[in-house]
Amino acid sequence: MCGITGFWTPGGLNLEDARGTVTAMADALRHRGPDDEGTWIDPEAGIALGFRRLAILDLTPTGRQPMESATGRFVIVFNGEIYNHQALRRELANLGHSFRGRSDTEVLVAALEAWGMRRTLEQCNGMFAFALWDKAERTLHLARDRAGEKPLYYGWMGQTLLFGSELKALRAHPTFQPQIDRNALALYLRRGYVPSPYSIYVGVNKLPAGTWLTLRPDCMRTDTAPTAYWSLQAVAEQGVAEPVRDDPAEVVETLHDLLSDAVKLRMEADVPLGAFLSGGIDSSTIVALMQTHSVRPVRTFTIGFRDTQHDEAHHAAAVARHLGTEHTELYLTPADALAVIPRLPVLYDEPFADTSQIPTFLVSELTRRHVTVSLSGDAGDELFGGYRRLRLGPAIWRGIEWLPLPVRRRLASLLTPPATTGNGQRAPLLGRLTRRLTGKRNLLERLRQVAEILPLESPVALYHYMMSYWKDPTVLMPDARELPIPATDPARRPDFGGNPEHTMMFLDTVAYLTDDILVKLDRASMGTSLEARVPLLDHRVIEFAWRMPLSVKLHGGKGTKWPLREVLHRYVPRALVDRPKQGFHMPIADWLRGPLRDWAESLLDERRLRDSGTFDPRPIRKKWTEHLAGTTRWDYHLWTVLMFESWVEANSPVVPAVPQPV
């Protein structure tokens, strides 16, 4: 696991200037690779590559990067792991290739030289992002793994292409112009993250998962589009069209074997290895399978909170005792969690509002004290239907779709107060209900949600609503236009014949998993110089999960993630793991009224918001006042604004001025 970066100015470079610049860009990623560093520059071609190394495989100098191919034609900087590199090494050796060391990087660059981009990428089982320079063709290739586990940003600044694992590396280049993309910011307000392929900055993109980008001196700038070598959309369409036989026992057996092999491949390391263990289905399954492949107790790690409402540590401890792992747990105080908040804007590098970023960082920090690599149970909910919304969304839709849309819109208008009258009046029905229900916060919130849901036109629109923080970002940014994403662009998602469950699982995986869950895991773990590996994202597991009949995944509506549960039940008694989903949740709503109130008030100050020119402060102040009064809770909405404003303070971007409404 490493940090990669670089830049390309096709007109050529001054060697000394380029060395200083690319070194500064790489140093910005030191947390991703504290063990070693390296640069490679061809001033005539205008290319400079930078690297920071977290040594995992082949700790000797033969594993150093940037690395040249055996013939010297190619130079690579590579972040990640190729888990099947041993099999690829044997295949390449049979073709006559000899190797200097034991690293997967050397295997990757040899495969790229022997087979080219497409075949190599299709052959690799791993998580990765890399940049490959072809000296002969003076061509730059950028590539990213299938699921998007490893990040890669790129963008043109003038005549220079910049790229790197994190935006802070691009910001270290003197030509970088940190101008906020207000349309991407609108997406952030809605989702709490900036979806791919967009970034928070104008002119900078995320390379989409499962693609590579080839850039030549005669074909540069934005007219060059990435090429897909693997598509979740194609996998999902084919899997649903050609499902495996509806035999639950056979499905579980196949899943067990695939996942067991995926875990085994991800246990190779020349440094200490462990696993996150929450005690839930996903992490417990990974740890159970790890233990079958280990001759000694697996190292497992969890954090706990004294507040039982937010604590799962005792569940993890029970699973660890049963499996016989060497378990480490750390109970944290609210002060420990609050101390992380000032670090978030630098750690996440881009506005990011998933509050579980806090405990994910804390468990990574704990784990790194003992090991360098940790396996994670992420992706089980997305692949096997673990989220409550998978049942709730279709049920809600069935409850309202029988009403004609005009009728639903009329009912919604009766429940919705006028947003622009400014006279303080409420819609008649809502006004009467509000007076009667003063103090009954939960019921008022339900009525508000009903008013928002009734006018929705499709199950996808309902999903988009359920996944939104600010339901209408233009309230804060009237000038902004939300960019297309899979939930709003039918061309970016399969049809599935109108099946809402399949559509929701696809959207969870292609968007929420890649741009929220995996971003959270990558930045939190790499922020502590820890490598996190996700066995459930082995592409063979993903492809098989999409071939499972929905009836098997949801067990006829009687449970979620049924095949994964059945794999786990081979190793852990049902009583230890069969319980309602809990997960990492922070009491942000209470903290904003308590220990975070002064910090939040300073960032949400009306004059400060107005002077910044980013948002109309009035809707923000209204929600802040209501939240403090306890009449309702707006913690998710407020947290997105707070994370953005603290990110602005830490990173000093250029915020395009927009006249505020009078």
Side-chain angles (χ1 to χ4, degrees), residues 46 50 61 98 100 112 158 172 204 216 288 311 353 355 382 435 438 449 461 466 473 530 553-554 581 622 624 631 654:
S98 59
R100 300 183 299 273
L112 289 163
V204 178
R216 300 179 177 85
D311 180 56
T355 59
E382 290 79 10
R435 286 192 294 272
T438 299
Q449 291 169 356
M466 295 172 74
L530 175 74
K553 281 185 183 178
L554 303 182
K581 181 178 175 61
K622 182 176 185 294
W624 178 232
T631 57
V654 176

Side-chain angles (χ1 to χ4, degrees), residues 234-257:
V235 165
E237 288 173 338
Q238 182 177 354
V240 172
E242 302 173 6
V244 297
R245 192 158 59 98
D246 191 354
D247 183 333
E250 188 175 307
V251 167
V252 171
E253 187 65 31
T254 303
L255 176 62
H256 174 274
D257 293 346

Side-chain angles (χ1 to χ4, degrees), residues 21 25 153-158 160-163 166-180 199-205 349 647 651-654:
T21 297
M25 294 173 73
Y153 293 88
Y154 70 98
W156 287 95
M157 293 291 159
T160 299
L161 177 80
L162 310 179
F163 60 89
E166 296 181 21
L167 286 170
K168 53 177 63 71
L170 279 64
R171 286 200 300 264
H173 193 281
T175 67
F176 188 75
Q177 300 172 6
Q179 182 179 351
I180 290 176
S199 87
I200 194 62
Y201 291 123
V202 173
V204 178
N205 286 330
D349 214 27
W647 175 82
N651 295 282
S652 303
V654 176

Side-chain angles (χ1 to χ4, degrees), residues 13 44 106 121 149 156 163 165 405 447 465 488 530 552 618-619:
L13 298 168
E44 183 181 350
E106 188 179 3
L121 292 169
E149 292 183 66
W156 287 95
F163 60 89
S165 299
L405 184 59
L447 287 170
Y465 168 87
T488 58
L530 175 74
V552 174
R618 292 175 298 179

Side-chain angles (χ1 to χ4, degrees), residues 469-511:
Y469 289 31
W470 288 88
K471 311 304 182 185
D472 182 8
T474 61
V475 170
L476 303 188
M477 303 170 64
D479 62 301
R481 175 182 60 85
E482 288 187 62
L483 300 164
I485 58 175
T488 58
D489 182 0
R492 301 187 185 201
R493 63 178 186 265
D495 187 320
F496 292 131
N499 182 295
E501 288 87 358
H502 278 140
T503 300
M504 292 173 72
M505 279 191 286
F506 174 81
L507 293 172
D508 277 340
T509 306
V510 78

Side-chain angles (χ1 to χ4, degrees), residues 63 159 170 226 228 249 304 306 358 382 394 479 499-500 513 552 576-577 646:
Q159 298 301 309
L170 279 64
R306 299 300 179 188
I358 299 170
E382 290 79 10
D479 62 301
N499 182 295
L513 174 67
V552 174
L576 287 184
V577 291
S646 59

Side-chain angles (χ1 to χ4, degrees), residues 12 67 83 96 189 198 210 239 242 306 311 321 338 341 368 460 499 503 540 547 570 603:
M67 183 181 290
Y83 300 119
L189 290 173
Y198 315 111
E242 302 173 6
R306 299 300 179 188
D311 180 56
R321 283 193 299 270
L338 292 168
I341 292 174
R368 185 61 177 93
V460 173
N499 182 295
T503 300
R540 300 169 300 169
R547 296 188 65 205
R570 296 185 177 193
L603 291 174

Side-chain angles (χ1 to χ4, degrees), residues 228-373:
Y229 66 90
W230 188 87
S231 163
L232 180 67
Q233 182 168 344
V235 165
E237 288 173 338
Q238 182 177 354
V240 172
E242 302 173 6
V244 297
R245 192 158 59 98
D246 191 354
D247 183 333
E250 188 175 307
V251 167
V252 171
E253 187 65 31
T254 303
L255 176 62
H256 174 274
D257 293 346
L258 283 173
L259 191 51
S260 179
D261 189 60
V263 167
K264 181 179 179 181
L265 286 175
R266 284 156 182 77
M267 291 179 68
E268 182 182 2
D270 294 335
V271 292
L273 175 142
F276 301 136
L277 179 61
S278 70
I281 298 298
D282 306 336
S283 65
S284 298
T285 302
I286 299 304
V287 171
L289 292 171
M290 287 177 73
Q291 196 60 73
T292 67
H293 295 298
S294 179
V295 297
R296 60 179 62 89
V298 171
R299 299 292 306 270
T300 54
F301 304 90
T302 191
I303 57 171
F305 296 92
R306 299 300 179 188
D307 178 0
T308 57
Q309 183 180 354
H310 302 97
D311 180 56
E312 284 190 299
H314 60 290
H315 297 306
V319 173
R321 283 193 299 270
H322 180 81
L323 293 174
T325 72
E326 184 180 341
H327 191 57
T328 301
E329 63 182 14
L330 177 65
Y331 273 85
L332 301 167
T333 66
D336 296 319
L338 292 168
V340 175
I341 292 174
R343 304 174 63 177
L344 297 177
V346 174
L347 184 70
Y348 282 86
D349 214 27
E350 196 171 33
F352 188 77
D354 185 335
T355 59
S356 62
Q357 62 195 151
I358 299 170
T360 305
F361 174 80
L362 290 168
V363 74
S364 297
E365 190 175 51
L366 168 66
T367 303
R368 185 61 177 93
R369 296 173 194 167
H370 304 273
V371 300
T372 310
V373 177

